[in-house]
Amino acid sequence: MFRNQQRHSSQIPEVNLIPMMDVLMSVLTFFIITSMTLSGRRIANVSLPAVGNGVREQSSLLEPLIVGLNQRGEIIIDDKSITITALEPKIKLYLEQSPQALVILKADKKLQYKQVVQVLRKMRDVGGDRVSLAIERN
């Protein structure tokens, strides 16, 4: 009987890893969910501007200048075809009248990219950072 007791006391205790892994995965899941919910939260000492009614009123008053570029490569403003050299004065005049407005290029998707870039460069040279290329969302 004495031998039997020695045998039990000299054995190395087994560590069951399955419950420990369950606890670690639960803690990891908690931290992942917590970090995901806090990522959209406010950062300390940073105050972001609020969107109010004034923004809507300004956007309705500042109608963008739409420049079209059809499949034949013709530049169209106000349903009239113009040349690329006539585009510059039109954009300058528009931006002088509406300094905060945008100039948007709506180019046909079947055009070569080279043609679109040529018109965009001309618009950028005149309008700077207020020039955009319109895309269609699916």
Side-chain angles (χ1 to χ4, degrees):
M1 192 165 169
F2 185 70
R3 276 187 171 174
N4 213 6
Q5 285 179 349
Q6 278 183 343
R7 196 183 225 182
H8 286 297
S9 63
S10 66
Q11 287 183 346
I12 299 174
E14 291 183 25
V15 177
N16 193 353
L17 293 178
I18 302 296
M20 186 170 73
M21 292 299 290
D22 287 342
V23 170
L24 287 175
M25 290 302 288
S26 298
V27 171
L28 180 64
T29 304
F30 171 76
F31 282 116
I32 289 173
I33 292 172
T34 304
S35 68
M36 287 172 57
T37 57
L38 293 178
S39 64
R41 299 284 170 132
R42 183 178 229 184
I43 299 172
N45 299 326
V46 175
S47 178
L48 298 176
V51 175
N53 292 336
V55 173
R56 290 186 190 141
E57 291 171 12
Q58 286 180 349
S59 64
S60 64
L61 291 176
L62 299 176
E63 197 69 30
L65 174 65
I66 306 294
V67 177
L69 192 58
N70 64 15
Q71 282 184 348
R72 294 180 296 227
E74 299 172 336
I75 300 170
I76 300 171
I77 295 181
D78 298 327
D79 295 325
K80 296 177 188 170
S81 180
I82 63 170
T83 63
I84 197 160
T85 55
L87 179 65
E88 183 177 342
K90 290 257 189 195
I91 294 175
K92 278 185 180 179
L93 177 65
Y94 176 76
L95 291 176
E96 286 172 3
Q97 293 172 352
S98 306
Q100 297 300 318
L102 295 174
V103 180
I104 299 175
L105 175 63
K106 289 188 174 184
D108 193 278
K109 65 181 175 183
K110 294 180 182 174
L111 283 172
Q112 291 184 4
Y113 191 69
K114 183 172 74 174
Q115 291 174 298
V116 177
V117 169
Q118 180 184 10
V119 176
L120 271 175
R121 277 193 190 130
K122 188 69 162 178
M123 292 170 64
R124 182 201 60 202
D125 292 343
V126 177
D129 61 346
R130 292 181 283 157
V131 173
S132 299
L133 177 63
I135 59 169
E136 191 174 291
R137 291 184 186 215
N138 292 333

